[in-house]
Structures are given as structure tokens and as C-alpha cells.
Amino acid sequence: MSTESARSTNSASRRHVLRALAVAVTLVAGVTPGWGGTALAAEPGGPGGPAEPETYTLTIRHLDRSGQAPAHYRTSVTGISGPGASLSVQPHDASGVTTVRLPKGRYLLESDLYTNDVADGDDWIVQPRLDLDHDTTVTVDARTTAPVDLRPPDRSAAFVTSGMFLEVTHQGATRMASIVKATPTLRVAHLGPEAEAGSVRQWFDSYWSTATGGYALGRTHTGSRALTGLAHHYTARELGTLRIRGAAGPGAEGSAVFDVSPAPGPSAGSTVGGSFSMSLPATATVYVTPERGPWDVTFAASDNWKNRYFADGVAVPAGETATHTFGNPVFAPALPPGRGVERDGDTITTRIPLLADGDGHMSAAPPFDTAYTSLFRDGVLVGARSGADAAAGRAAFTVPPGRASYRLAATVTRKAASGATTRVNASWTFASATTARPAAVPVSVVRFSPGLSPAGTAPAGSAIRVPVTVQGAAAEGRVRSLTVSASTDGGASWTGLPVEAGAVTVQNPAAGATVSLRAELTDTDGNTLDQTVLDAYRAE
């Protein structure tokens, strides 16, 4: 496990949890334990118990950069294969020499040597292949390490945090080691023989801040050895540009925090994220390394920290720019990746956020006053839900078996001084039958995407083009009919708008008035949607 996480002052949040090893046994000075650190059904070698495994003594000598016993160190020995595969021990002795008796097998050893002076940094030494088949002495020597020197092209950028991670795989088992640092003073080294080709995977992520954003830099390595040093000074051409726009309603100045981290995936591994702050409304720019794959962004404004928006899996190739605007209208239903409504047997589950922002970013806790979700089967109420889950589009209903016609209705209301979505009504109809396994229910939503200012407004009295996008079952040419209407009197009256080339043209009202939008849709299978967004945006 991480040898540095407990001491890190990094404040960045991360939604991915580092894997925990099955057993952890702390060893104290002067103790040389034998096999038996984990619970067994009976005493090893005793009546009815398993045969005592073959064990050997492992002696570990620790030397600092002057060749003396280090001021401080943390060492872990983790089993990979053999009888000790589920064992992790942390031997320690103030003299710098410690011993432990362990079962025969393959182990991963990692050691962090450090002082109380931050400027000295840490020496992280990893032996990915420790085959314990005889009494063995290992010397962990800080004099073998080399610096980790990964830097952005902007030399004025300030270091925020970093994390180095290593995975080693042997006989189908994978073990992990990591170190997280809040200072740019890490040195690393490989120890011991080479492991099998391609069995060692290692990566390093570091974050740097600037007056206008920062850098998220990642480097990966695969081979038979752990890294001894890591140096790369990036050029601007190697990086992609992630532009974060934070919106704020009229007069609603404030601040926001956003986190950036590699998106989960087969090649991403566990990691640490970088946290950045910005004023509102404003734009921040973070330059990222495409080598680490797509990136996840989490955004929260100071007026409501619980209202966090997520942009997951943002790919930014070198030389290209990806722009995401958070917290700006039109706030309206959006379908998440996967299934917005699902039926599993006779349970229908909904996951359709009603107040996703204008870019479609979804919030786990959007601000609201009232929220209701109801499900009807053949015109008879099955059940209703209210509160925060309903506002976030989450509900589950148990329905009678067999096929029937259903109507799902959802409403959320809220006060919005800025005139940004005071009410959303959405109603879906569809047919559904009992399923043998989870299956998607055919629902759709309509997204409206006008070009608005960071205050969520459009020019008063002018005509603007509003792109219209269909998500879900009716997407990709499966629309039988779609009508769009606009209202400038809070929904008291509506004017139909022709959809031409994927957009409608709206004549904005006088300053201070709002525009409401409505869509009525039928897909090629007869499933319907009736969706209304009151006070979608304001004219200014």
C-alpha cells in the first residue's frame, strides 16, 4: 500500500479508491515473527491443521544518502505468490536493520526513506521481484536513487501534488505500491533482479498551478524493472488543452474548485487528482498529457459545494482543445451513459437527471424546491417518489409482471433569481414487459443548446439559433415526429418553431424577460416524450 499517503498534505479529491491488501501485520523493533501472522483454522503442523510452510529469514538493511541508518523509513513486504501471497508486513527497527521470517514465495518490497526536512525529499526504492527461497539479505540504499523530474513548459508553474504508482503481476496475481507527495522532491530506484518481461507497470502523475489554470502531467512505464529516476521536460506541442468555463448568474460572483484526474480504465490504474480554484465567472486552462488517456473533471461552485458537476472521460489529443462550461443554462433533462431507464425482471429504475447544465454535465445534488417522480401502469399509479433523489432523476418501482403501457412523469421546481430553469416537466410513455435480465426501456430527452453568456443570458430583442439534440431511443434517425415551441410569458402561451438543420430560431424578448422551451417527440416505435423547461434562459 502507499508508504506516503498518511503523511501527504495533498487536498485533492479523488473518486477512485486504492486497492487494499488482504492482511497487514505491523512489526516492531526486536521482533522476528515467523509464519502465523494470519489466522488459521488450527495451529500449523498441529493435529488437524495444515502443514507448516517452509520459511526463511529476510534481513533488510536501510542506508540513507550518507550511507548511515536513515532518520526515518517505512518498508513493506507484500506476498505475491506462495503461502504468503495474502500477507503484508511492515518490519521496522530504529537501527535500520530489521528481520522477518516469511514463507517461501514471491514478494514485492518497497521502502520510503526520508527526513523531517521537506527539502531533502523522499527516496522510494522498489524491488518488484523478491524470490524468498533461502535466508536472504536485502540492502535498501538511498544512494542508488535518481530524481523524478517531470516539468511543464511554463517554468513559473507551482507544484501542487504528485503520485507514483507501481503494479507487479506474477502467476495471475497483481500487487501494488504507491507514494503520494506534496513536494517535488522525490527520488526513486529499482532494487534486485529483473522481473518477467512486461510484468512491471509504473506511472507518475503530477499537477502544477498557474495564474490561469495549470498542468496535469502523466508518464507511464512498462517493463521488467521499477524506474530508477524519471526525467521529462514537456513542450507545449506535447500537451492537449482542457478549457474549463465556470458560469455565474447576474451579480452572482464567487469562486469554484475543480479537480482533474485520469479517467478510470484498463490503462489508467489508481491515481491522485489535482485540485484547482478559479473565480466566477471565468475560464481556466489546464494543459494535460494525452499519454494518460482521457481525463475526469469534477466542478463545484462556492455557492453550493454539494452541487458537483461531472465531466467524465474527456479525451484531449496533443495540440487540440476541449472546452467544458459548468453551471450554465439550459438546465434540462439529460441521459447519462448507459441506460436512463432500465427494467430488471419486474423492477423499473430511472436515472434521468432533470437539471443537467447546458453542456449536459450532471449533478448528484442539484438545488431544487420540490421534485416528484411518478410511474403509471395502464393509467393506474404504481408509485411516486419525491425529494433529492427525484430531483437527481433517481427512482425505482416494482411493477406487476407481464406487458403493459407505462407513463413516467417527473417534475422539479426551484427559485432562480437569474431566470435559469424554474421548472422542468417531463413525461414519457412506453410499453414494457417482464425481462429475464436488465434491459433498457426506450426513452428519449431533448437538449437545447443556445450560445449564452457566462451569466446565462442572450441578447434582448435579437433572434438566436438554438441547437436541438435528441438523446436516447429516438436518436440517430429514429424520430417519427418532433415539435418545438417557445414561450416568453412563463408558459402562458406558446409559439411553434420549425426545426431546421438541427436547430430552431428564437426571437428573444425584451431585457429581463425569459424564454421557456418545450419539445414533443414520438419515436419510430411509438414511444413519446413531452418535455417543458420554464425560464430556460433570460434576455439581457
Side-chain angles (χ1 to χ4, degrees):
M1 298 263 325
S2 171
T3 61
E4 182 66 12
S5 297
R7 297 193 295 118
S8 171
T9 58
N10 172 39
S11 62
S13 64
R14 177 62 177 159
R15 285 180 283 161
H16 315 307
V17 180
L18 301 181
R19 282 184 302 224
L21 298 172
V23 180
V25 181
T26 301
L27 308 180
V28 297
V31 176
T32 307
W35 175 244
T38 58
L40 298 175
E43 288 296 324
E52 184 173 358
E54 186 178 356
T55 63
Y56 297 99
T57 297
L58 173 64
T59 301
I60 308 171
R61 300 175 62 241
H62 300 82
L63 300 176
D64 65 14
R65 294 175 195 169
S66 65
Q68 306 299 313
H72 305 284
Y73 70 90
R74 290 187 179 92
T75 293
S76 294
V77 182
T78 302
I80 305 175
S81 63
S86 63
L87 184 67
S88 180
V89 296
Q90 293 79 44
H92 188 274
D93 189 279
S95 68
V97 179
T98 184
T99 60
V100 59
R101 195 162 184 86
L102 296 170
K104 179 181 178 179
R106 172 73 65 90
Y107 292 85
L108 163 67
L109 182 149
E110 60 157 323
S111 188
D112 175 22
L113 287 66
Y114 58 96
T115 71
N116 286 326
D117 189 341
V118 172
D120 291 340
D122 289 52
D123 293 288
W124 193 50
I125 300 170
V126 180
Q127 181 166 342
R129 177 178 181 175
L130 173 56
D131 291 319
L132 193 61
D133 53 12
H134 60 281
D135 290 346
T136 301
T137 298
V138 172
T139 299
V140 175
D141 191 341
R143 294 172 295 183
T144 65
T145 63
V148 174
D149 184 20
L150 215 67
R151 293 185 179 272
D154 183 353
R155 298 304 185 218
S156 67
F159 178 85
V160 176
T161 193
S162 70
M164 180 169 279
F165 303 83
L166 178 142
E167 287 183 348
V168 57
T169 301
H170 178 64
Q171 294 184 354
T174 299
R175 299 293 182 262
M176 179 179 170
S178 63
I179 185 168
V180 175
K181 289 292 298 174
T183 56
T185 50
L186 177 64
R187 299 172 63 92
V188 298
H190 169 87
L191 177 63
E194 291 190 359
E196 290 74 17
S199 66
V200 179
R201 180 169 168 262
Q202 196 165 358
W203 59 99
F204 179 73
D205 294 314
S206 66
Y207 302 88
W208 306 72
S209 66
T210 66
T212 57
Y215 293 84
L217 308 179
R219 201 78 174 171
T220 62
H221 162 78
T222 300
S224 59
R225 298 169 58 88
L227 289 170
T228 296
L230 175 63
H232 188 82
H233 293 184
Y234 282 95
T235 64
R237 292 183 302 175
E238 297 177 271
L239 304 176
T241 302
L242 181 57
R243 183 168 291 127
I244 307 296
R245 298 177 68 228
E253 296 180 358
S255 62
V257 172
F258 64 93
D259 295 345
V260 178
S261 58
S267 61
S270 300
T271 187
V272 63
S275 186
F276 303 88
S277 60
M278 63 185 298
S279 299
L280 295 179
T283 299
T285 301
V286 178
Y287 300 97
V288 301
T289 46
E291 179 181 351
R292 285 296 276 130
W295 296 81
D296 283 355
V297 182
T298 303
F299 180 97
S302 59
D303 62 343
N304 186 352
W305 294 119
K306 294 181 179 180
N307 186 29
R308 297 188 303 276
Y309 292 103
F310 304 104
D312 293 337
V314 181
V316 194
E320 297 189 14
T321 299
T323 300
H324 282 257
T325 302
F326 292 92
N328 215 30
V330 172
F331 298 96
L335 286 181
R339 297 163 179 167
V341 180
E342 178 181 88
R343 180 160 181 169
D344 185 0
D346 291 318
T347 299
I348 294 179
T349 303
T350 72
R351 304 181 188 87
I352 304 179
L354 300 178
L355 292 167
D357 71 10
D359 270 14
H361 304 123
M362 301 170 192
S363 169
F368 73 101
D369 292 326
T370 63
Y372 301 95
T373 299
S374 304
L375 182 67
F376 298 83
R377 182 182 189 271
D378 289 336
V380 178
L381 179 66
V382 173
R385 306 289 184 267
S386 62
D389 280 348
R394 299 185 294 265
F397 303 92
T398 300
V399 299
R403 186 174 183 83
S405 296
Y406 288 89
R407 182 170 72 89
L408 175 66
T411 298
V412 62
T413 67
R414 63 179 183 174
K415 300 178 182 68
S418 63
T421 306
T422 57
R423 185 183 186 96
V424 171
N425 293 328
S427 177
W428 298 267
T429 66
F430 52 87
S432 178
T434 302
T435 64
R437 61 186 61 85
V441 170
V443 297
S444 305
V445 301
V446 174
R447 300 287 301 165
F448 301 107
S449 306
L452 302 176
S453 74
T457 63
S462 65
I464 65 168
R465 184 176 183 270
V466 179
V468 177
T469 304
V470 176
Q471 296 179 338
E476 300 177 0
R478 295 191 293 272
V479 174
R480 178 185 297 174
S481 65
L482 171 62
T483 61
V484 175
S485 306
S487 171
T488 57
D489 56 11
S493 62
W494 295 88
T495 300
L497 304 173
V499 181
E500 299 173 336
V504 296
T505 299
V506 176
Q507 181 65 43
N508 288 332
T514 65
V515 173
S516 300
L517 297 167
R518 182 178 183 182
E520 298 169 275
L521 177 148
T522 302
D523 71 15
T524 53
D525 293 326
N527 307 299
T528 70
L529 163 71
D530 189 339
Q531 174 185 305
T532 302
V533 182
L534 292 184
D535 302 317
Y537 67 89
R538 188 163 64 92
E540 187 62 53

